[in-house]
Amino acid sequence: MVRAQAEGLQLTGEGGLLQQLTKRLLESALEGEVTDHLGYDRHDPAGKNGGNSRNGTRSKTVLTEVGPVEIAVPRDRVLVDGTDAVLMGHVSGTVRATGKSFEGPFALHLTVDDGRITRHHLYENCLSIAEACAT
């Protein structure tokens, strides 16, 4: 602790050690979740040209007990299992009629039979969109 203070490192506050540790913990957990689901580590050749793949990250600010922490969250993912595919991502936009914006995660579940989409379900943050549409 004495060394950290002598080097100008803060334990709490903006850019403090607790915020940095929280960021690493959250990002590691999210990356572990993706790795567990996909069945291969990042940059592993086993994932090349597979049905499920990583697609980078997006920035998100998470409000924590140690203050706001900006983390890299895995972006749009495609998950395939037999005839089912799920596309996950983040949607944002502005409703022209009201000028209000909305944002949130989405998931699109597709059922594919003989190369054709036979069923689809879209899941999104309906409340956020409804609030943006309200006048």
Side-chain angles (χ1 to χ4, degrees):
M1 186 72 169
V2 173
R3 180 176 160 215
Q5 287 176 337
E7 293 178 8
L9 295 175
Q10 295 176 250
L11 182 60
T12 60
E14 187 73 29
L17 185 58
L18 287 177
Q19 276 190 337
Q20 293 175 36
L21 289 173
T22 301
K23 174 183 174 65
R24 287 186 184 177
L25 175 70
L26 292 172
E27 289 177 344
S28 292
L30 290 169
E31 183 64 32
E33 177 188 18
V34 172
T35 296
D36 184 57
H37 176 76
L38 295 177
Y40 64 88
D41 289 321
R42 174 178 277 202
H43 306 299
D44 187 332
K48 188 170 182 156
N49 298 323
N52 296 339
S53 61
R54 288 172 166 83
N55 190 18
T57 60
R58 66 180 174 86
S59 179
K60 179 164 184 72
T61 301
V62 179
L63 302 178
T64 71
E65 290 183 15
V66 296
V69 177
E70 189 167 318
I71 62 172
V73 178
R75 193 173 23 202
D76 311 349
R77 294 183 281 172
V78 177
L79 314 171
V80 178
D81 183 23
T83 61
D84 291 308
V86 177
L87 292 84
M88 297 186 300
H90 191 82
V91 63
S92 63
T94 302
V95 177
R96 288 185 197 163
T98 64
K100 296 179 184 176
S101 61
F102 62 89
E103 69 169 318
F106 76 86
L108 177 61
H109 175 206
L110 303 172
T111 301
V112 180
D113 186 28
D114 203 23
R116 295 180 178 213
I117 296 172
T118 58
R119 186 180 315 162
H120 69 279
H121 296 282
L122 176 64
Y123 305 93
E124 80 284 329
N125 184 346
C126 297
L127 178 60
S128 173
I129 296 171
E131 288 173 345
C133 290
T135 55

